[in-house]
Amino acid sequence: MDKPIKQICCIGAGYVGGPTMAVISLKCPDIKINIIDVNQERIDAWNSEDLSGLPIYEPGLKEIISKTRNKNLFFSTKIKESIESADMIFISVNTPTKSKGLGAGKASDLKWVEKSSRDVARFAKGHTIVVEKSTLPVRTAEVIQEILKSAESDSSKDNINFSVLSNPEFLSEGSAINDLLNPDRVLIGGDDKEAMISLSKIYKNWVTEDKILFTNIWSSELAKLTSNAFLAQRISSINSISAICEVTGADIREVSRAIGKDSRIGSKFLDSGPGFGGSCFKKDILNLVYLAEYFGLTEVANFWESVVEINSWHQKRISEIIVKKLFGTVANKKLVVLGFAFKANTNDTRESAAITICRNLLNEGANLVINDPKVSASQIEIDLKINSKISLDNENSSLNEESGSWEHSKNISNLEIFNDAYAIIILTEWEEFKKLNWKEIAKKMVHPAWVFDSRSIVDTDEIRDAGLSLWRLGDGLRD
Ligand code: UDX
Ligand code: ADP
């Protein structure tokens, strides 16, 4: 008999754990959910009375939290109690790429997964279903199983046993709530049919049966990496073609539209941009590369690694174009950067193209003024690894002596941010950047003044009429 789930514990209150549990709490009012985290500050933010203080910005999230928090959804640091009382435990901790040791630069660092599995082994009682939710390298379930086995064989613990399932998350930041409410599919990998049915019953509260797929555990883990690798590969493909457009007189938007009409290719994920960012794409491809190398599949490893290499090259290429167009130097020139998040509708900056492009320009001596509707100055400081203007000579900065400066500007509505700027560089496709008054902005800038649009969001006629020079990614006619 499959086990009815009354209490869930989710370890990790991040971008995956928070929204996923919020949606489960909304759709399953009879299940009590405890989200736990080691980070007290993060938990306090999830519990903040003012819902704009939530640690994650996702459209629709606040509304759900306001309905379920402290009813059947609880945020705390009570690891022991929450694990003890759970019938099902989701592991949603961070798994960044290892920075040192074996597999550095490619393999995922599993120390947080290991730590949370050890906590589960220590505190769980009775039969517990453990669900891998974080994006993980293939065969991570084996690591979790090994750790849990040690608890099962501990004679001091009564009747304790575990079933490990893989249930990868396909949510996309910025549309996480909608993706969770209307998933293309829910993947459940495992070999304990009853545990798989218990998990599927949770989803059946709002997802139709035909969308719930059962697979073996390794297929589930590999399918997650492969999905992300395919999506990232599409972006590297279209971005590589944008470079060809620029030298041949073609236009990447026209090429995208034309190929997207082929139903075998499809029109989604064909927007050229400054290069993919986010916490998943690079990490997942590098995991795939590591796995292929480990099994001696060098050609396979090289194939996937080139997707990441093109992405880095593309960001360097954009930085160089900006410098070239500004007469070969940006030293001491004010450049306004619009957008720092890795895409619109999120405050997440992990692997954002803006980090690389801004650092390249700072290295060339530019004075950047950065605006993003959701990213804070302190986050930008962490990402750029350099203090803003005042402490540019910071010894810890890895930028060279000639490096420029940056400052954060919260407000673009009064247009003061554009005073004396030589160029505006659009790196994130926020709605507010689509509605700018270019005629007024042009009056404030130093001419010849440039707009660099890496997201294809500006109206080209408006820019031309305002007397501004425009560079658009993949626009061969303009180059
Ligand atoms: C991705 C996957 O979409 C999701 O299924 C998985 O669970 C996690 O990884 P996410 O990282 O939130 O989600 O963002 P996504 O919308 O996929 O965008 C990733 C990057 O690709 C962004 O930097 C985005 O700007 C860029 N992108 C996306 C493009 O440049 N062009 C496109 O056409 C689509
Ligand atoms: P993701 O995008 O995968 O959700 P995040 O970094 O946003 O990643 O969130 C992961 C969360 O997991 C962090 O808030 C981190 O503090 C938490 N975490 C990591 N290890 C543990 C652990 N052993 N116990 C509880 N929480 C943990």
Side-chain angles (χ1 to χ4, degrees), residues 169-173 224 235 269 271 277 281 342-343 455:
E169 193 45 76
F170 294 103
L171 65 82
S172 177
E173 284 177 32
K224 165 71 194 193
I235 300 167
F269 257 72
D271 292 331
F281 282 178
F342 79 97
K343 63 176 188 178
R455 293 284 188 174

Side-chain angles (χ1 to χ4, degrees), residues 43-80:
I43 289 298
D44 291 345
W46 278 112
N47 283 323
S48 61
E49 247 171 63
D50 173 9
L51 288 170
S52 58
L54 295 181
I56 285 164
Y57 170 73
E58 275 299 336
L61 177 63
K62 312 202 267 213
E63 291 74 6
I64 297 181
I65 296 287
S66 72
K67 283 189 190 140
T68 63
R69 194 177 58 184
N70 296 332
K71 295 203 173 71
N72 63 330
L73 179 67
F74 301 87
F75 295 89
S76 79
T77 53
K78 292 180 191 157
I79 293 182
K80 179 171 179 286

Side-chain angles (χ1 to χ4, degrees), residues 286-352:
L286 293 179
N287 264 318
L288 213 51
V289 170
Y290 186 67
L291 188 76
E293 277 173 355
Y294 181 82
F295 288 105
L297 301 166
T298 311
E299 286 75 9
V300 177
N302 293 346
F303 172 72
W304 286 109
E305 194 158 21
S306 71
V307 172
V308 175
E309 282 166 2
I310 283 277
N311 199 52
S312 306
W313 170 82
H314 183 67
Q315 290 166 10
K316 189 163 151 263
R317 188 177 87 80
I318 293 176
S319 319
E320 286 173 0
I321 286 172
I322 296 170
V323 176
K324 275 190 203 146
K325 296 276 183 208
L326 295 175
F327 306 111
T329 177
V330 291
N332 298 316
K333 288 181 179 166
K334 174 176 167 182
L335 311 181
V336 175
V337 175
L338 296 183
F340 202 82
F342 79 97
K343 63 176 188 178
N345 294 323
T346 176
N347 60 346
D348 195 352
T349 60
R350 286 177 290 180
E351 301 292 340
S352 176

Side-chain angles (χ1 to χ4, degrees), residues 10-18 36-39 42 56 79 92-95 111-117 119 134-135 173 279-280 283 348 350:
C10 172
I11 309 181
Y15 282 91
V16 172
I36 51 170
D37 204 294
V38 283
N39 182 338
R42 204 165 222 194
I56 285 164
I79 293 182
S92 305
V93 298
N94 35 328
T95 51
K111 71 174 174 234
W112 293 276
V113 172
E114 183 180 336
K115 167 76 174 65
S116 38
S117 307
D119 285 341
S134 318
T135 306
E173 284 177 32
S279 68
C280 285
K283 182 182 82 177
D348 195 352
R350 286 177 290 180

